[in-house]
Amino acid sequence: MSAPQVEKEPAGAVVAGGEPALLELRDLRVSYGAIEALKGIDLTVGRGEVVALLGANGAGKSTTLKTVSGMLTPNTGQVLLHGERIDGIKSHELVQFGLGHVPEGRRVFARMTILENLHMGAYRLRRPDPADVERVFTLFPVLAERRKQIAGTLSGGEQQMLAIGRALMGKPELLLLDEPSMGLAPLIVQQIFEILREVNEQGTTLLLVEQNASQALQLANRGYVLETGSVVMSDAASSLLSDPRIRAAYLGEHVEAE
């Protein structure tokens, strides 16, 4: 299957170090019927970064990821990957551009085995790369031990590991993750984030939506805060983590004004 055509754009945003942005969102607006969910989002992700999207429920975080991955079509604005417009390209075709998406709720193929799920993650290739399978099993040893187990019988944490592993089978350069810690025990959450750090260190760029702001910002290089479809703050993750407003709003801490 030939790759879909994309529209080249003039040189866009750069990130720290003067490198061109791997992902750039320009004045992105998305609506659900009459409700405008994104109200002109501008965002960049540099190659090799981890960028966190923070915000309350309904802020537009998942909508942002779904628009990047082609699940939603913007009303106006642009989504650029490698400096080329990808908005309007179908979700399954974007895998060819090095984009992977782990959606909220895991969505594994419940009646298939772990190994079959991983093979489905490599559907764009003629055959799964055995090296990629072994990489996933090295990252997630519990999956290796149970490779023939039916995915629907796994625990929530194991299904989340499988969903991440399945996305990695597509060899993504940019991996979108939507609430990877949702509904998981604290110990499993810690394991998931340690593995995400390793995935990033191996060269995969991450754009992360996460309600657990502390975990997200400890992993991330930079972060954006969304409120009702708009970016209201953006900064280095360490600065956001120490910001009294972030600590009060997302970490449940009461900070006395000086």
Side-chain angles (χ1 to χ4, degrees):
M1 179 177 62
S2 60
Q5 296 297 308
V6 295
E7 180 180 343
K8 291 185 178 292
E9 288 289 320
V14 297
V15 292
E19 292 291 327
L22 174 61
L23 175 72
E24 183 182 359
L25 309 186
R26 298 178 180 175
D27 193 27
L28 199 65
R29 296 178 181 270
V30 178
S31 296
Y32 296 103
I35 300 173
E36 191 173 35
L38 298 184
K39 303 173 182 177
I41 295 290
D42 292 304
L43 178 152
T44 60
V45 180
R47 186 175 283 102
E49 280 195 303
V50 179
V51 173
L53 295 183
L54 307 179
N57 289 335
K61 307 183 303 298
S62 293
T63 298
T64 301
L65 293 195
K66 289 177 180 178
T67 305
V68 171
S69 67
M71 297 172 68
L72 295 173
T73 301
N75 300 343
T76 61
Q78 300 174 351
V79 180
L80 293 93
L81 187 65
H82 301 290
E84 300 179 334
R85 286 189 65 177
I86 62 169
D87 47 280
I89 295 177
K90 295 179 180 179
S91 183
H92 69 275
E93 295 178 327
L94 286 173
V95 178
Q96 299 179 60
F97 293 90
L99 184 67
H101 188 180
V102 181
E104 182 181 348
R106 298 145 200 159
R107 301 184 190 177
V108 299
F109 297 108
R111 296 184 181 182
M112 293 183 178
T113 67
I114 288 173
L115 189 58
E116 288 169 340
N117 267 267
L118 295 181
H119 286 177
M120 289 296 293
Y123 71 89
R124 76 181 181 93
L125 309 172
R126 289 187 176 182
R127 64 182 63 184
D129 187 338
D132 290 333
V133 175
E134 288 310 309
R135 177 196 180 199
V136 171
F137 284 157
T138 299
L139 288 167
F140 303 103
V142 66
L143 299 184
E145 297 167 3
R146 306 180 185 183
R147 65 184 68 196
K148 294 183 179 180
Q149 185 170 334
I150 299 299
T153 66
L154 299 173
S155 69
E158 291 162 351
Q159 289 190 21
Q160 185 65 71
M161 293 176 187
L162 178 56
I164 296 170
R166 185 180 62 191
L168 291 175
M169 289 294 296
K171 301 180 185 291
E173 184 173 359
L174 173 62
L175 183 61
L176 314 178
L177 298 119
D178 197 347
E179 301 287 4
S181 77
M182 180 177 288
L184 303 182
L187 181 60
I188 302 300
V189 171
Q190 186 64 37
Q191 292 176 0
I192 293 288
F193 274 84
E194 288 173 357
I195 291 165
L196 291 178
R197 185 180 302 279
E198 186 172 352
V199 168
N200 176 246
E201 289 173 351
Q202 292 176 357
T204 304
T205 302
L206 306 180
L207 178 57
L208 170 70
V209 164
E210 180 54 62
Q211 288 284 351
N212 189 329
S214 177
Q215 286 281 6
L217 292 174
Q218 288 178 58
L219 174 66
N221 303 103
R222 296 186 298 114
Y224 291 82
V225 181
L226 273 61
E227 288 184 6
T228 60
S230 300
V231 173
V232 295
M233 292 181 67
S234 64
D235 208 336
S238 57
S239 297
L240 291 174
L241 191 57
S242 62
D243 190 297
R245 294 165 293 178
I246 299 299
R247 301 188 72 83
Y250 302 110
L251 304 182
E253 298 183 8
H254 175 68
V255 181
E256 295 289 346
E258 295 184 358

